Amino acid sequence: MQDIVLIPGDGIGNEITSSVTKILKTAGAKINWIETTAGLTAYEEKGNPLPDEVVDLIREHHIVLKGPLTTPVGTGFRSVNVALRKEFNLYANIRPAKSLPNVPSPYKDIDIVMFRENTQGLYIGHERWVDDEHNHAESIAVVTRDASENIIRAAFEYAREHGRKKVTLVHKANILKFTTGLFLQIGREIADQYPDIEFEDIIIDNMAMQMVMRPQRFDIVVTTNLFGDILSDLASGLVGGLGVTGAANIGDDYAMFEAVHGSAPDIAGKNMANPTALLFSSLLMLEHIGQEDVAKKVRYAVLEVLANHKDACTKDIGGKGTTTTYTNAVCMVLEDKF
Ligand code: NAD
């Protein structure tokens, strides 16, 4: 049995984490869930969006499956997601986007794995008002050699381990010459150590256009925090939307698995949320903890439901079903097949 901290999260969090834990149990995952609360739910219950007990549990058990957490826009507390990534130095945010059978999308044959630097850039939260009237604000972006080396090396190592051909580094070094210029320089240095992997760099604005025009040309993509946040949502959009893309946040000692999407307040409590994104995140978690056999079974069941039980799927991917019908369909395939 593997202990895993479970944070169901806000909005659709309870619905999708209940679905995922049910599917993983049906598939025979050997997991002892240790449930706790963070985000808006914890703020409303305890006055603190990131209670000490959550940090202590993660420090003790090292692996987390996390539902989405709401962050107030413009005012209020700062992102708990960002705080957790910094606290546990989860420097690599890995976000695969792969075309799926029968999921509506104008694109085919997409298989991109995005590596987003997860602890620095503009997300360090060093913002300040420059004058009293709040008419002038500043935000500081930080890029260091250590953090850049960590994420870029993680991308090349992943490429090598998974037999991938190319790493594309995305930057804005023509304008942000120091920060993303340093990131690009380190990328070139590390690329020299991996002559078996093709390397290219591309400016972010061109990248945005290329991902819409010719996304199939990308394989592994590595970039800084803000660019990676935006491009990984774009990549989700290429393969059917935020309901189908999972993510891993990996550091040297800790790992946290979560969907790319947020708490989706517009559909919370309506049994409409697609749990596939969190489910795919949980498969990355199963692979990380050595339960690849269970991950394979669940992936098979999901692909089978997408291909042959479309009516049971949620509406965001063209089905007629609910979170519940989809969950039951995946469980039924698992029970019938294995
Ligand atoms: P969102 O990702 O919650 O929703 C964007 C759109 O995608 C909505 O229309 C939503 O209904 C849809 N969607 C998202 N997940 C879905 C799913 N599983 N199934 C079906 N449809 C789905 O983005 P937002 O509305 O900009 O953000 C809402 C809140 O989530 C904000 O407070 C934001 O800060 C937070 N957020 C958290 C995380 C995280 O926890 N890692 C990530 C992004 C946003």
Side-chain angles (χ1 to χ4, degrees):
M1 281 286 175
Q2 168 83 46
D3 287 350
I4 291 184
V5 177
L6 177 68
I7 303 174
D10 302 316
I12 59 172
N14 271 324
E15 296 160 77
I16 59 174
T17 47
S18 302
S19 161
V20 168
T21 51
K22 181 174 175 181
I23 291 169
L24 295 197
K25 187 174 180 198
T26 307
K30 294 184 179 56
I31 293 172
N32 176 34
W33 298 110
I34 295 152
E35 193 170 325
T36 187
T37 312
L40 190 60
T41 313
Y43 184 73
E44 285 168 355
E45 283 170 7
K46 300 169 186 166
N48 182 357
L50 185 54
D52 289 347
E53 72 218 41
V54 176
V55 175
D56 292 344
L57 279 175
I58 299 173
R59 219 174 280 296
E60 185 180 347
H61 299 289
H62 294 255
I63 313 273
V64 186
L65 181 67
K66 187 183 78 57
L69 301 178
T70 297
T71 309
V73 176
T75 56
F77 61 80
R78 287 202 174 266
S79 167
V80 172
N81 303 306
V82 173
L84 286 171
R85 293 168 192 161
K86 273 169 68 176
E87 176 71 27
F88 294 100
N89 194 21
L90 304 171
Y91 54 81
N93 190 334
I94 305 170
R95 297 182 159 187
K98 194 171 182 342
S99 298
L100 291 162
N102 229 359
V103 171
S105 161
Y107 300 93
K108 278 198 182 109
D109 303 325
I110 289 169
D111 188 3
I112 298 172
V113 183
M114 186 85 54
F115 279 70
R116 162 189 172 192
E117 201 291 317
N118 219 9
T119 59
Q120 302 198 321
L122 277 166
Y123 283 51
I124 55 168
H126 284 198
E127 289 191 299
R128 69 176 188 120
W129 296 112
V130 176
D131 67 34
D132 288 344
E133 283 79 38
H134 291 179
N135 289 319
H136 178 177
E138 278 182 357
S139 191
I140 294 173
V142 166
V143 172
T144 66
R145 172 168 282 277
D146 282 354
S148 305
E149 278 185 2
N150 280 341
I151 185 70
I152 296 167
R153 197 171 292 288
F156 276 95
E157 283 296 318
Y158 181 98
R160 208 173 245 178
E161 273 168 34
H162 292 81
R164 313 283 296 223
K165 302 271 179 289
K166 183 168 77 172
V167 171
T168 302
L169 182 147
V170 184
H171 61 88
K172 188 71 186 174
N174 50 333
I175 305 295
L176 304 170
K177 289 179 192 292
F178 290 2
T179 47
T180 78
L182 175 62
F183 192 78
L184 172 60
Q185 179 196 323
I186 293 166
R188 287 180 174 148
E189 289 168 18
I190 292 180
D192 285 345
Q193 298 162 24
Y194 293 82
D196 47 321
I197 312 283
E198 189 189 335
F199 175 71
E200 65 175 357
D201 71 86
I202 183 166
I203 294 173
I204 175 69
D205 27 339
N206 183 19
M207 179 67 176
M209 190 265 293
Q210 297 281 341
M211 277 184 71
V212 174
M213 302 285 288
R214 290 197 300 141
Q216 294 83 358
R217 66 176 282 246
F218 297 109
D219 185 349
I220 307 291
V221 175
V222 63
T223 188
T224 46
N225 207 337
L226 176 61
F227 298 160
D229 194 2
I230 297 167
L231 291 180
S232 53
D233 267 36
L234 198 166
S236 298
L238 301 175
V239 298
L242 289 170
V244 293
T245 39
N249 299 275
I250 309 275
D252 291 334
D253 301 316
Y254 301 92
M256 181 170 81
F257 300 84
E258 62 179 337
V260 172
H261 63 69
S263 53
D266 51 335
I267 57 166
K270 296 182 179 166
N271 203 14
M272 288 170 70
N274 188 347
T276 311
L278 188 66
L279 189 58
F280 281 165
S281 313
S282 79
L283 301 192
L284 297 171
M285 179 191 79
L286 288 173
E287 286 159 7
H288 186 80
I289 62 174
Q291 298 190 28
E292 294 92 347
D293 50 334
V294 186
K296 267 194 197 129
K297 285 192 221 169
V298 177
R299 199 178 304 280
Y300 172 92
V302 169
L303 296 181
E304 172 65 18
V305 169
L306 292 176
N308 297 318
H309 304 271
K310 196 59 195 287
D311 281 358
C313 295
T314 47
K315 295 193 177 68
D316 59 303
I317 51 170
K320 295 182 182 153
T322 61
T323 314
T324 310
T325 59
Y326 174 80
T327 307
N328 291 342
V330 174
C331 289
M332 211 179 302
V333 173
L334 284 166
E335 280 159 357
D336 286 353
K337 174 82 185 169
F338 301 103

Short mmCIF file of all heavy atoms in Angstrom, two decimals, residues 12 16 66-73 81 85 95 229 233 242-244 258-267 272-277 314 316, ligand 1:
data_model
loop_
_atom_site.label_atom_id
_atom_site.label_comp_id
_atom_site.label_asym_id
_atom_site.label_seq_id
_atom_site.Cartn_x
_atom_site.Cartn_y
_atom_site.Cartn_z
N ILE A 12 -15.42 21.81 -8.84
CA ILE A 12 -15.69 20.44 -9.28
C ILE A 12 -14.80 19.41 -8.59
O ILE A 12 -14.88 18.22 -8.89
CB ILE A 12 -15.52 20.30 -10.82
CG1 ILE A 12 -14.09 20.68 -11.26
CG2 ILE A 12 -16.57 21.10 -11.56
CD1 ILE A 12 -13.78 20.40 -12.71
N ILE A 16 -14.76 15.17 -9.22
CA ILE A 16 -13.76 14.47 -10.03
C ILE A 16 -12.84 13.59 -9.18
O ILE A 16 -12.43 12.53 -9.62
CB ILE A 16 -12.96 15.43 -10.96
CG1 ILE A 16 -12.23 16.51 -10.18
CG2 ILE A 16 -13.85 16.03 -12.02
CD1 ILE A 16 -11.32 17.38 -11.06
N LYS A 66 -4.09 16.04 -6.26
CA LYS A 66 -4.78 17.27 -5.88
C LYS A 66 -5.83 17.68 -6.91
O LYS A 66 -5.54 17.74 -8.10
CB LYS A 66 -3.75 18.40 -5.74
CG LYS A 66 -4.32 19.68 -5.19
CD LYS A 66 -3.30 20.78 -5.14
CE LYS A 66 -3.08 21.41 -6.49
NZ LYS A 66 -4.28 21.97 -7.13
N GLY A 67 -7.05 17.94 -6.44
CA GLY A 67 -8.06 18.55 -7.29
C GLY A 67 -7.74 20.03 -7.47
O GLY A 67 -6.81 20.55 -6.85
N PRO A 68 -8.52 20.73 -8.30
CA PRO A 68 -8.23 22.15 -8.54
C PRO A 68 -8.56 23.01 -7.33
O PRO A 68 -9.49 22.71 -6.59
CB PRO A 68 -9.16 22.49 -9.70
CG PRO A 68 -10.27 21.49 -9.63
CD PRO A 68 -9.67 20.23 -9.06
N LEU A 69 -7.78 24.08 -7.15
CA LEU A 69 -8.01 25.00 -6.04
C LEU A 69 -8.32 26.39 -6.59
O LEU A 69 -7.61 26.88 -7.46
CB LEU A 69 -6.77 25.08 -5.15
CG LEU A 69 -6.32 23.75 -4.51
CD1 LEU A 69 -5.05 23.95 -3.70
CD2 LEU A 69 -7.42 23.15 -3.66
N THR A 70 -9.38 26.99 -6.07
CA THR A 70 -9.78 28.33 -6.51
C THR A 70 -8.81 29.38 -5.96
O THR A 70 -8.43 29.32 -4.79
CB THR A 70 -11.20 28.63 -5.99
OG1 THR A 70 -12.09 27.69 -6.59
CG2 THR A 70 -11.64 30.04 -6.33
N THR A 71 -8.42 30.32 -6.82
CA THR A 71 -7.65 31.48 -6.37
C THR A 71 -8.45 32.72 -6.72
O THR A 71 -8.79 32.91 -7.90
CB THR A 71 -6.28 31.57 -7.11
OG1 THR A 71 -5.62 30.31 -7.01
CG2 THR A 71 -5.41 32.65 -6.50
N PRO A 72 -8.77 33.58 -5.73
CA PRO A 72 -9.52 34.79 -6.05
C PRO A 72 -8.77 35.63 -7.09
O PRO A 72 -7.54 35.71 -7.05
CB PRO A 72 -9.60 35.54 -4.72
CG PRO A 72 -9.24 34.54 -3.67
CD PRO A 72 -8.39 33.50 -4.32
N VAL A 73 -9.49 36.21 -8.04
CA VAL A 73 -8.86 36.99 -9.12
C VAL A 73 -8.67 38.44 -8.68
O VAL A 73 -9.59 39.07 -8.18
CB VAL A 73 -9.72 36.93 -10.40
CG1 VAL A 73 -9.13 37.82 -11.49
CG2 VAL A 73 -9.83 35.48 -10.90
N ASN A 81 -1.78 26.72 -5.20
CA ASN A 81 -1.09 25.85 -6.17
C ASN A 81 0.36 26.30 -6.32
O ASN A 81 1.30 25.49 -6.26
CB ASN A 81 -1.77 25.92 -7.53
CG ASN A 81 -3.23 25.53 -7.43
OD1 ASN A 81 -3.56 24.47 -6.93
ND2 ASN A 81 -4.11 26.40 -7.89
N ARG A 85 3.89 24.37 -5.08
CA ARG A 85 4.98 24.07 -6.02
C ARG A 85 6.30 24.65 -5.52
O ARG A 85 7.36 24.04 -5.65
CB ARG A 85 4.64 24.64 -7.40
CG ARG A 85 3.45 23.94 -8.06
CD ARG A 85 2.95 24.71 -9.27
NE ARG A 85 1.66 24.20 -9.71
CZ ARG A 85 0.82 24.88 -10.50
NH1 ARG A 85 1.12 26.09 -10.93
NH2 ARG A 85 -0.33 24.35 -10.86
N ARG A 95 3.16 18.36 -18.70
CA ARG A 95 1.77 18.39 -19.17
C ARG A 95 1.66 17.75 -20.56
O ARG A 95 1.85 18.43 -21.57
CB ARG A 95 1.27 19.83 -19.20
CG ARG A 95 1.25 20.46 -17.82
CD ARG A 95 0.71 21.88 -17.83
NE ARG A 95 0.24 22.26 -16.50
CZ ARG A 95 -0.39 23.38 -16.23
NH1 ARG A 95 -0.66 24.25 -17.17
NH2 ARG A 95 -0.78 23.64 -14.99
N ASP A 229 2.41 27.98 -18.78
CA ASP A 229 1.03 27.97 -18.28
C ASP A 229 0.08 28.21 -19.46
O ASP A 229 -0.90 27.47 -19.66
CB ASP A 229 0.89 29.10 -17.24
CG ASP A 229 -0.39 28.97 -16.42
OD1 ASP A 229 -1.14 27.99 -16.63
OD2 ASP A 229 -0.63 29.85 -15.57
N ASP A 233 -2.38 25.21 -21.75
CA ASP A 233 -3.84 25.30 -21.98
C ASP A 233 -4.12 25.26 -23.48
O ASP A 233 -5.08 24.62 -23.93
CB ASP A 233 -4.41 26.60 -21.40
CG ASP A 233 -4.92 26.42 -19.97
OD1 ASP A 233 -4.29 25.64 -19.22
OD2 ASP A 233 -5.94 27.04 -19.60
N LEU A 242 -9.76 21.19 -21.70
CA LEU A 242 -9.15 21.02 -20.38
C LEU A 242 -9.64 19.77 -19.66
O LEU A 242 -9.01 19.32 -18.71
CB LEU A 242 -9.46 22.25 -19.52
CG LEU A 242 -8.73 23.53 -19.92
CD1 LEU A 242 -9.30 24.73 -19.17
CD2 LEU A 242 -7.24 23.40 -19.64
N GLY A 243 -10.74 19.20 -20.12
CA GLY A 243 -11.27 18.01 -19.46
C GLY A 243 -10.46 16.75 -19.70
O GLY A 243 -10.72 15.72 -19.07
N VAL A 244 -9.48 16.80 -20.61
CA VAL A 244 -8.76 15.56 -20.96
C VAL A 244 -7.24 15.64 -20.81
O VAL A 244 -6.54 14.76 -21.31
CB VAL A 244 -9.12 15.08 -22.39
CG1 VAL A 244 -10.57 14.65 -22.46
CG2 VAL A 244 -8.80 16.14 -23.44
N GLU A 258 -2.00 16.73 -10.62
CA GLU A 258 -3.24 17.51 -10.69
C GLU A 258 -3.60 17.69 -12.15
O GLU A 258 -2.77 17.51 -13.03
CB GLU A 258 -3.06 18.87 -10.03
CG GLU A 258 -1.99 19.71 -10.72
CD GLU A 258 -1.79 21.10 -10.12
OE1 GLU A 258 -2.71 21.60 -9.46
OE2 GLU A 258 -0.71 21.66 -10.33
N ALA A 259 -4.87 18.05 -12.41
CA ALA A 259 -5.26 18.35 -13.78
C ALA A 259 -4.73 19.72 -14.19
O ALA A 259 -4.35 20.51 -13.33
CB ALA A 259 -6.78 18.31 -13.89
N VAL A 260 -4.72 20.00 -15.49
CA VAL A 260 -4.30 21.33 -15.96
C VAL A 260 -5.39 22.36 -15.63
O VAL A 260 -5.12 23.51 -15.34
CB VAL A 260 -4.05 21.30 -17.49
CG1 VAL A 260 -3.81 22.70 -18.04
CG2 VAL A 260 -2.86 20.40 -17.81
N HIS A 261 -6.65 21.90 -15.62
CA HIS A 261 -7.76 22.85 -15.47
C HIS A 261 -7.92 23.35 -14.04
O HIS A 261 -7.33 22.84 -13.09
CB HIS A 261 -9.07 22.21 -15.95
CG HIS A 261 -9.51 21.01 -15.16
ND1 HIS A 261 -9.96 21.09 -13.87
CD2 HIS A 261 -9.57 19.69 -15.50
CE1 HIS A 261 -10.29 19.88 -13.44
NE2 HIS A 261 -10.05 19.01 -14.40
N GLY A 262 -8.80 24.36 -13.89
CA GLY A 262 -9.11 24.92 -12.58
C GLY A 262 -10.38 24.33 -12.00
O GLY A 262 -10.82 23.24 -12.41
N SER A 263 -10.99 25.07 -11.06
CA SER A 263 -12.11 24.53 -10.27
C SER A 263 -13.45 24.63 -11.00
O SER A 263 -14.47 24.20 -10.46
CB SER A 263 -12.17 25.25 -8.92
OG SER A 263 -12.20 26.65 -9.13
N ALA A 264 -13.46 25.19 -12.20
CA ALA A 264 -14.64 25.25 -13.08
C ALA A 264 -15.92 25.59 -12.32
O ALA A 264 -16.88 24.81 -12.31
CB ALA A 264 -14.80 23.91 -13.83
N PRO A 265 -15.96 26.77 -11.68
CA PRO A 265 -17.15 27.10 -10.87
C PRO A 265 -18.45 27.11 -11.68
O PRO A 265 -19.52 26.89 -11.12
CB PRO A 265 -16.83 28.51 -10.31
CG PRO A 265 -15.64 28.99 -11.07
CD PRO A 265 -14.93 27.82 -11.63
N ASP A 266 -18.33 27.33 -13.00
CA ASP A 266 -19.56 27.39 -13.84
C ASP A 266 -20.29 26.06 -13.91
O ASP A 266 -21.49 26.01 -14.17
CB ASP A 266 -19.22 27.91 -15.26
CG ASP A 266 -18.07 27.16 -15.92
OD1 ASP A 266 -17.21 26.59 -15.22
OD2 ASP A 266 -18.03 27.14 -17.16
N ILE A 267 -19.59 24.94 -13.67
CA ILE A 267 -20.27 23.63 -13.77
C ILE A 267 -20.22 22.85 -12.45
O ILE A 267 -20.66 21.71 -12.40
CB ILE A 267 -19.69 22.77 -14.93
CG1 ILE A 267 -18.18 22.56 -14.76
CG2 ILE A 267 -20.01 23.37 -16.28
CD1 ILE A 267 -17.62 21.46 -15.66
N MET A 272 -21.44 17.52 -14.26
CA MET A 272 -21.06 17.71 -15.66
C MET A 272 -19.55 17.60 -15.87
O MET A 272 -19.08 17.51 -17.01
CB MET A 272 -21.47 19.11 -16.14
CG MET A 272 -22.96 19.30 -16.33
SD MET A 272 -23.33 21.05 -16.58
CE MET A 272 -22.64 21.33 -18.19
N ALA A 273 -18.77 17.63 -14.79
CA ALA A 273 -17.31 17.71 -14.93
C ALA A 273 -16.74 16.43 -15.52
O ALA A 273 -17.15 15.32 -15.16
CB ALA A 273 -16.69 17.96 -13.56
N ASN A 274 -15.79 16.60 -16.40
CA ASN A 274 -15.10 15.46 -17.00
C ASN A 274 -13.92 15.08 -16.08
O ASN A 274 -12.99 15.87 -15.90
CB ASN A 274 -14.58 15.87 -18.38
CG ASN A 274 -14.02 14.70 -19.14
OD1 ASN A 274 -13.79 13.63 -18.57
ND2 ASN A 274 -13.79 14.88 -20.42
N PRO A 275 -13.93 13.89 -15.52
CA PRO A 275 -12.84 13.51 -14.61
C PRO A 275 -11.60 12.99 -15.33
O PRO A 275 -10.60 12.65 -14.69
CB PRO A 275 -13.46 12.40 -13.76
CG PRO A 275 -14.55 11.83 -14.59
CD PRO A 275 -14.99 12.86 -15.59
N THR A 276 -11.63 12.92 -16.68
CA THR A 276 -10.52 12.30 -17.42
C THR A 276 -9.19 13.01 -17.15
O THR A 276 -8.14 12.36 -17.03
CB THR A 276 -10.80 12.31 -18.94
OG1 THR A 276 -12.10 11.81 -19.16
CG2 THR A 276 -9.79 11.47 -19.69
N ALA A 277 -9.21 14.34 -17.05
CA ALA A 277 -7.96 15.08 -16.84
C ALA A 277 -7.30 14.67 -15.53
O ALA A 277 -6.11 14.35 -15.49
CB ALA A 277 -8.24 16.58 -16.85
N THR A 314 -18.92 12.73 -20.90
CA THR A 314 -19.46 14.05 -20.54
C THR A 314 -19.59 14.94 -21.79
O THR A 314 -18.96 14.70 -22.82
CB THR A 314 -18.55 14.73 -19.50
OG1 THR A 314 -17.19 14.61 -19.93
CG2 THR A 314 -18.70 14.07 -18.15
N ASP A 316 -18.59 17.96 -22.57
CA ASP A 316 -17.47 18.76 -23.07
C ASP A 316 -16.71 18.05 -24.18
O ASP A 316 -16.03 18.69 -24.98
CB ASP A 316 -16.51 19.13 -21.93
CG ASP A 316 -15.93 17.89 -21.25
OD1 ASP A 316 -16.72 17.05 -20.77
OD2 ASP A 316 -14.69 17.74 -21.22
P1 NAD B 1 -11.12 26.49 -15.37
O1 NAD B 1 -10.05 25.60 -15.87
O2 NAD B 1 -11.66 26.20 -14.02
O3 NAD B 1 -12.34 26.50 -16.40
C1 NAD B 1 -12.21 26.94 -17.77
C2 NAD B 1 -13.36 26.34 -18.60
O4 NAD B 1 -13.11 24.92 -18.79
C3 NAD B 1 -14.72 26.44 -17.92
O5 NAD B 1 -15.71 26.67 -18.90
C4 NAD B 1 -14.92 25.06 -17.30
O6 NAD B 1 -16.28 24.68 -17.15
C5 NAD B 1 -14.18 24.16 -18.28
N1 NAD B 1 -13.63 22.99 -17.59
C6 NAD B 1 -12.56 22.97 -16.77
N2 NAD B 1 -12.35 21.75 -16.29
C7 NAD B 1 -13.31 20.96 -16.81
C8 NAD B 1 -13.64 19.58 -16.68
N3 NAD B 1 -12.91 18.74 -15.90
N4 NAD B 1 -14.71 19.10 -17.35
C9 NAD B 1 -15.43 19.90 -18.14
N5 NAD B 1 -15.18 21.22 -18.32
C10 NAD B 1 -14.13 21.75 -17.64
O7 NAD B 1 -10.53 27.98 -15.42
P2 NAD B 1 -11.04 29.34 -14.76
O8 NAD B 1 -12.55 29.39 -14.83
O9 NAD B 1 -10.23 30.38 -15.41
O10 NAD B 1 -10.59 29.23 -13.25
C11 NAD B 1 -11.45 28.89 -12.16
C12 NAD B 1 -10.64 28.84 -10.87
O11 NAD B 1 -9.69 27.78 -10.93
C13 NAD B 1 -9.82 30.13 -10.59
O12 NAD B 1 -9.93 30.42 -9.23
C14 NAD B 1 -8.38 29.73 -10.92
O13 NAD B 1 -7.44 30.44 -10.17
C15 NAD B 1 -8.39 28.26 -10.53
N6 NAD B 1 -7.37 27.45 -11.22
C16 NAD B 1 -6.79 26.46 -10.48
C17 NAD B 1 -5.85 25.62 -11.09
C18 NAD B 1 -5.24 24.54 -10.24
O14 NAD B 1 -5.78 24.20 -9.20
N7 NAD B 1 -4.11 23.97 -10.65
C19 NAD B 1 -5.54 25.76 -12.44
C20 NAD B 1 -6.19 26.76 -13.19
C21 NAD B 1 -7.12 27.60 -12.56
#
